[in-house]
Amino acid sequence: MGKIRLLDEMKSYHYLFNTCVPEIRRKKAPDVKGTYSYCYYYGNYVVLKNIDKYETMTDYREEQYKLKKEVLDNLIEAYKINTPRLCACFSGKHHFYELQERAPGNALSIYYPSTARAITYGKGVLDDSHTSSELEREGKIEYFEKNDIGNAMFRYNSQMQRMLKDCDTALYIKFVRDFKILMQQGVSIDDSRSENFLFDKNNGFSFVDLAVNKKIEEPVNVSDFDVAKKIYSAFADFTAFTNCMNANQQKIIFKNMDVIHNRIYNAIKKCNFSLTPEQDAHLQSKSSVSGNFLNNARK
């Protein structure tokens, strides 16, 4: 499907109601299984369908949608934050649907197990037909499956790391700045999963799955150190479940992380974060994760 040009909110609503929702209701398989919603791609747009039925939650979800749209629209206009614009919503009988712009790029990293996707034996690629919990209920992961899981993880994560090592420094600076602005504006960022951050070598980092619980009048007072720790957490999945990889693959992943962490640290310094000497040293130490890994591997 080519690029969709939606001129206003009403056209967005009609497109969601007349095209996307009927297709989804005909049991169209989702492109991505999220923790709380399914994602369906439509050209440069994505539709989120909540998973749980919510007959008693209709008004609440619509109000939350309106609040989130207002806050994010203002932040996008004021600060050019890289996050998808919300276009329209629709309350069905059992599910709530949102039409959003599709953020450019791919998930920052992938890992196993994942509540959204599983890397399964047989394909060695992302497979949206099962969740990790479903696979775990079917039985343990055999050794040869673990090997294929590790290979698939390594292929994806090492390729993404190469882009992160070579990209323009300005992309890191903007990511750090955007992260701080969002936290100061009371926007909740789920840094527990790297899939909530997309990267494109031309557009940089994008935030997805943001949450807005209330509109604030004054910026929230958050410490720069707390912001910095959450920024590093966004990249943590690169080193999660590396036990599925062989020793050489693990070494490459951790060596790459040294470079990426150093780039994060330099961006934080360029954004003039206020840090104590102890906090600064703590962040600097993250640029030697490969040394810690190799030392632990020798034990």
Side-chain angles (χ1 to χ4, degrees):
M1 181 180 294
K3 184 173 181 179
I4 306 163
R5 298 189 180 276
L6 301 177
L7 302 179
D8 53 39
E9 188 170 349
M10 187 56 66
K11 283 193 175 183
S12 299
Y13 174 81
H14 284 307
Y15 181 74
L16 174 64
F17 178 76
N18 293 318
T19 302
C20 306
V21 172
E23 284 190 21
I24 292 170
R25 283 178 169 171
R26 288 196 291 269
K27 307 296 183 181
K28 178 183 176 184
D31 293 287
V32 177
K33 287 184 178 180
T35 306
Y36 303 107
S37 62
Y38 290 162
C39 301
Y40 302 84
Y41 296 151
Y42 288 87
N44 290 338
Y45 292 82
V46 60
V47 175
L48 303 182
K49 170 189 171 184
N50 75 291
I51 296 173
D52 299 322
K53 294 185 178 181
Y54 72 104
E55 284 88 343
T56 61
M57 298 286 286
T58 304
D59 293 339
Y60 171 78
R61 289 185 184 273
E62 290 181 350
E63 288 301 316
Q64 286 296 105
Y65 169 85
K66 292 176 183 178
L67 171 63
K68 181 178 177 180
K69 177 174 172 56
E70 178 184 358
V71 170
L72 293 186
D73 279 352
N74 290 337
L75 289 175
I76 291 170
E77 291 298 325
Y79 302 104
K80 309 301 181 193
I81 301 291
N82 282 355
T83 191
R85 286 185 181 274
L86 306 186
C87 302
C89 69
F90 171 70
S91 297
K93 184 176 181 181
H94 299 297
H95 296 95
F96 187 76
Y97 303 85
E98 292 182 22
L99 178 69
Q100 302 181 3
E101 289 181 337
R102 185 175 174 183
N106 297 299
L108 201 55
S109 71
I110 58 172
Y111 65 99
Y112 183 87
S114 167
T115 56
R117 298 179 295 197
I119 306 167
T120 62
Y121 172 71
K123 294 183 179 179
V125 294
L126 291 178
D127 179 5
D128 288 313
S129 63
H130 297 85
T131 64
S132 60
S133 58
E134 289 170 338
L135 292 173
E136 289 166 353
R137 283 198 298 268
E138 294 170 5
K140 66 181 182 179
I141 301 298
E142 299 293 344
Y143 174 78
F144 56 86
E145 293 176 321
K146 180 179 176 181
N147 183 60
D148 278 315
I149 288 169
N151 287 335
M153 285 176 57
F154 177 76
R155 284 195 298 272
Y156 185 98
N157 287 346
S158 60
Q159 181 179 10
M160 180 61 74
Q161 285 182 321
R162 284 195 294 272
M163 288 194 290
L164 293 172
K165 287 166 59 179
D166 297 337
C167 72
D168 194 313
T169 299
L171 300 182
Y172 278 95
I173 294 174
K174 176 168 172 47
F175 181 60
V176 169
R177 187 208 66 158
D178 287 357
F179 214 115
K180 183 174 181 178
I181 290 172
L182 288 169
M183 290 186 65
Q184 289 177 330
Q185 295 300 318
V187 178
S188 178
I189 306 170
D190 183 4
D191 59 308
S192 66
R193 287 174 48 188
S194 294
E195 290 176 328
N196 291 328
F197 306 91
L198 307 185
F199 180 76
D200 176 81
K201 63 182 180 181
N202 296 316
N203 297 281
F205 301 89
S206 295
F207 300 80
V208 297
D209 200 22
L210 297 174
V212 179
N213 297 318
K214 63 180 180 179
K215 185 178 180 181
I216 62 172
E217 300 299 328
E218 297 292 336
V220 177
N221 184 21
V222 294
S223 78
D224 285 351
F225 186 53
D226 287 339
V227 176
K229 287 190 293 184
K230 287 181 72 69
I231 291 171
Y232 278 99
S233 293
F235 297 80
D237 287 340
F238 280 117
T239 55
F241 297 98
T242 49
N243 62 306
C244 293
M245 302 178 192
N246 63 46
N248 186 58
Q249 290 172 336
Q250 291 176 341
K251 183 178 180 180
I252 292 171
I253 291 293
F254 280 93
K255 282 286 189 181
N256 287 342
M257 285 312 301
D258 285 352
V259 178
I260 294 168
H261 278 173
N262 188 57
R263 301 202 71 185
I264 297 170
Y265 174 78
N266 289 334
I268 287 172
K269 298 296 286 185
K270 287 183 179 296
C271 289
N272 298 316
F273 274 36
S274 178
L275 303 168
T276 66
E278 293 77 15
Q279 292 169 344
D280 185 83
H282 175 79
L283 298 183
Q284 272 190 300
S285 69
K286 291 182 175 294
S287 297
S288 59
V289 290
S290 67
N292 295 332
F293 162 72
L294 292 174
N295 289 334
N296 292 331
R298 294 190 188 102
K299 296 177 181 179

